[in-house]
Amino acid sequence: MDQKRLMYCNQCEETAFHKACTMRGVCGKVPELANKLDLLKEYLKVLSANRLANHNATDADKHFIMHSLFKLITNANFNIEAIDQEIAKAKELTGVHEGITPYYEADPDLYALKNLVITGLMGMAAYHSHAYNLGFESQEVHTFTMEALAKVNDVKTVEDMVKLIDETGAHGVMAMELLDKANTTTYGNPEISEVQLGVGKRPGILISGHDFHDLKQLLEQSKDAGIDIYTHSEMLPAHYYPELKKYEHLIANYGNAWWKQVEEFQTFSGPILFTTNCIVPPRPNANYTDRLYATGDCDHPGFKRIEVQADGTKDFSDIINHAKQTKPPKAIESGSITGGFAHHQVLALADKIIEEIKAGNIRKFVVMSGCDGRKPERAYYTNFAKGLPEDVIILTSGCAKYRYNKLNLGDINGIPRVLDAGQCNDSYSWVVVANALVKAFDVASVNELPIVFNIAWYEQKAIIVLLSLLHLGIGNICAGPDLPGYFTPTVETFLKEHHGLRTIKDVDADLKEMLA
């Protein structure tokens, strides 16, 4: 790293000048935090190599690595003190207390490919962590994560890095499949559900992030408290699961994608709970700073912490009591939206969908899963959705949906033209659905189906989704609004020639190309 730079971070789509944040993170990270996160990353590599060499990795080691990788994700943990504690724990586990410095690959092509692996491992760790919280884990994913961390610095050829990237994608599929199993086993298969967008008359708690296990505990502990629970951003799909929607005080989704919180939290009135990476540091004049709580691997200075107890549960009484002292939230919109179209529900409609395809009423499906972000260029996705002909259906998951899920795009003989499977990891649902259509239409691969991919990315979880799709052989994916800033021309050319991966152009050109 150039010594004149205070930091060097280019993990997210909004990285400065589409190259790297070097003075302060666009996300709000200060240089001291960014550099300590890089140091923690290096210690995870040392720990992994140590345990593999000595064949003595414990479950505690594996879980530490998984949770530390999660803390490295964009918008997850802004608390320098918490990261210091994580580094101290890593030093204790490795027995190495000095001499470790962040590694920066000098070869630009290898740097780009190594970044893909590392960021993919972060995203995979997040999904694995959610599954683990529900009692599900994969020793194969744990072992691969350690193996990849242990050797990534030492890989010297593009060919070996390409192989490691494919292996990362393969284990990403495993992690998403595991989380799907964990969620559906615990909460039931998502159902077609109407979700309210307005507000009630009682005080409320707004919960953001991705962790349904935290939400379930909060719902159970607050069911007789005289308050309501609202979801924000990626928590919206909680309303689709039978074992979560059965709570009558889970009443609505409040607001839109994660980045809108700086406006939407101003009007909520009640306390707000972050469960995972969705944090935007509050502005100095924000009126909600005293109402912010964090739990799990996410954190921010000044947020009130809710820690896991010795028995593995969490006590949400502080935030529940806080909510009782607040006013009901102010309405920022009204009406409702419909979701719950994960693979089990869509496959239940398979006969009707196949019939509509054969009748010529459904011409094409466009997978528009992924992340939303602040860039004005992301208006592209709204305009793209509006520009799709009425015989095209959008398949979505993740917070990218907020660019178009409240448009009135209608339906095709009762099948909504926007089918929302759920959170970003529920991109796995579209793989399951696509594989079922491959069998139904007796074609060789997903690439021969009337399905195209126009996905939006922002951070590391979208990277593991992308690597998983590439591993599965899904070609001609369009990703945007930009490809990662650390990509080199050589890497872009390789991915285009071997996988057909490209970035967005303009709405009219992409509509013409994708609908051809």
Side-chain angles (χ1 to χ4, degrees):
M1 183 174 68
D2 187 334
Q3 296 303 309
K4 295 180 180 179
R5 296 168 178 164
L6 300 180
M7 58 181 282
Y8 196 83
C9 182
N10 55 10
Q11 296 180 129
C12 81
E13 191 274 330
E14 290 183 349
T15 191
F17 309 108
H18 196 233
K19 184 176 181 181
C21 294
T22 59
M23 303 300 290
R24 183 185 179 92
V26 172
C27 65
K29 272 190 297 194
V30 296
E32 182 183 3
L33 174 62
N35 294 328
K36 288 185 175 183
L37 290 171
D38 282 347
L39 181 60
L40 175 59
K41 187 191 309 176
E42 216 57 38
Y43 265 103
L44 297 181
K45 297 174 187 176
V46 174
L47 175 60
S48 297
N50 176 287
R51 294 299 189 263
L52 290 171
N54 293 295
H55 306 284
N56 63 346
T58 65
D59 286 343
D61 294 330
K62 297 170 186 176
H63 298 154
F64 174 76
I65 291 169
M66 176 180 69
H67 286 295
S68 293
L69 284 170
F70 200 168
K71 289 179 174 69
L72 293 173
I73 284 183
T74 303
N75 293 339
N77 202 307
F78 292 84
N79 193 333
I80 293 174
E81 185 176 315
I83 300 306
D84 280 340
Q85 292 172 0
E86 205 79 355
I87 293 171
K89 179 66 174 178
K91 289 180 177 180
E92 176 188 335
L93 291 172
T94 59
V96 181
H97 293 272
E98 57 184 22
I100 302 298
T101 57
Y103 170 82
Y104 299 98
E105 171 61 54
D107 181 277
D109 296 330
L110 285 175
Y111 174 78
L113 297 173
K114 290 182 179 185
N115 240 9
L116 270 180
V117 168
I118 294 296
T119 54
L121 292 177
M122 293 179 199
M124 185 164 65
Y127 293 153
H128 199 189
S129 175
H130 291 311
Y132 171 73
N133 289 344
L134 297 177
F136 293 76
E137 64 181 316
S138 166
Q139 292 304 319
E140 190 170 352
V141 169
H142 279 309
T143 299
F144 172 76
T145 298
M146 296 177 69
E147 290 174 345
L149 285 169
K151 69 183 179 183
V152 67
N153 284 7
D154 297 323
V155 178
K156 302 300 183 185
T157 68
V158 168
E159 292 75 18
D160 286 341
M161 276 311 308
V162 168
K163 180 180 178 182
L164 187 56
I165 286 170
D166 183 62
E167 292 172 349
T168 305
H171 288 84
V173 176
M174 293 181 195
M176 288 192 288
E177 183 178 17
L178 182 69
L179 180 52
D180 179 78
K181 180 180 180 181
N183 282 338
T184 56
T185 301
T186 306
Y187 305 118
N189 286 303
E191 303 169 340
I192 299 175
S193 305
E194 184 178 3
V195 182
Q196 297 302 312
L197 301 176
V199 298
K201 297 181 179 180
R202 304 194 301 182
I205 294 173
L206 184 61
I207 183 168
S208 185
H210 305 75
D211 200 296
F212 291 153
H213 185 52
D214 287 334
L215 173 59
K216 178 66 162 63
Q217 293 179 82
L218 176 63
L219 288 167
E220 182 62 27
Q221 293 175 34
S222 62
K223 63 184 179 182
D224 299 316
I227 65 171
D228 292 321
I229 306 298
Y230 295 80
T231 55
H232 186 262
S233 192
E234 281 270 47
M235 273 293 183
L236 165 62
H239 296 270
Y240 311 156
Y241 287 88
E243 287 301 307
L244 296 175
K245 64 187 287 188
K246 71 180 183 182
Y247 290 91
E248 294 182 357
H249 67 304
L250 178 65
I251 67 165
N253 189 71
Y254 191 88
N256 297 278
W258 61 274
W259 63 276
K260 298 282 285 184
Q261 65 188 253
V262 292
E263 302 168 7
E264 294 167 351
F265 288 3
Q266 294 276 119
T267 55
F268 185 74
S269 305
I272 298 148
L273 174 64
F274 286 99
T275 63
T276 62
N277 61 305
C278 277
I279 297 174
V280 178
R283 295 167 178 165
N285 62 346
N287 70 3
Y288 56 85
T289 53
D290 62 337
R291 296 186 276 115
L292 296 171
Y293 291 74
T295 190
D297 291 317
C298 69
D299 202 3
H300 190 282
F303 287 19
K304 302 176 183 69
R305 288 290 300 171
I306 298 175
E307 302 290 0
V308 65
Q309 302 179 114
D311 64 356
T313 63
K314 294 179 181 180
D315 180 0
F316 289 100
S317 57
D318 284 350
I319 192 171
I320 292 169
N321 290 330
H322 187 164
K324 291 179 181 180
Q325 309 305 315
T326 62
K327 296 179 180 180
K330 297 177 182 178
I332 55 177
E333 57 188 334
S334 60
S336 64
I337 51 177
T338 300
F341 294 94
H343 59 85
H344 183 269
Q345 185 64 73
V346 174
L347 293 180
L349 301 172
D351 289 344
K352 180 174 178 57
I353 291 172
I354 291 169
E355 178 184 331
E356 297 295 343
I357 293 173
K358 290 181 176 178
N361 297 323
I362 297 177
R363 187 195 340 176
K364 202 156 247 185
F365 297 93
V366 181
V367 177
M368 294 181 68
S369 294
C371 317
D372 195 21
R374 287 168 283 222
K375 280 187 175 180
E377 294 93 320
R378 288 182 182 264
Y380 161 95
Y381 293 102
T382 303
N383 295 327
F384 184 91
K386 288 179 177 179
L388 288 170
E390 294 182 355
D391 56 359
V392 176
I393 288 179
I394 295 172
L395 308 177
T396 191
S397 57
C399 61
K401 69 171 70 73
Y402 286 100
R403 288 287 172 173
Y404 44 79
N405 69 339
K406 296 171 185 178
L407 301 175
N408 183 18
L409 296 181
D411 62 84
I412 299 174
N413 294 329
I415 302 172
R417 289 191 56 228
V418 177
L419 301 182
D420 176 24
Q423 295 182 329
C424 51
N425 58 281
D426 290 308
S427 298
Y428 171 76
S429 272
W430 303 131
V431 173
V432 174
V433 170
N435 285 334
L437 291 176
V438 165
K439 294 179 181 178
F441 285 95
D442 193 25
V443 295
S445 73
V446 172
N447 297 321
E448 296 182 30
L449 292 171
I451 298 178
V452 293
F453 289 75
N454 189 5
I455 61 176
W457 83 283
Y458 180 79
E459 39 85 324
Q460 297 86 341
K461 284 182 282 187
I463 292 297
I464 194 59
V465 170
L466 174 62
L467 297 186
S468 299
L469 294 176
L470 296 180
H471 167 75
L472 292 170
I474 295 174
N476 302 312
I477 296 171
C478 185
D482 295 299
L483 295 177
Y486 50 82
F487 274 17
T488 63
T490 300
V491 170
E492 288 190 26
T493 299
F494 175 87
L495 291 171
K496 183 176 182 179
E497 290 179 351
H498 289 78
H499 298 283
L501 179 70
R502 68 170 181 85
T503 191
I504 61 174
K505 300 173 185 173
D506 62 73
V507 170
D508 290 339
D510 287 338
L511 284 171
K512 183 177 180 180
E513 182 173 334
M514 292 185 194
L515 298 178

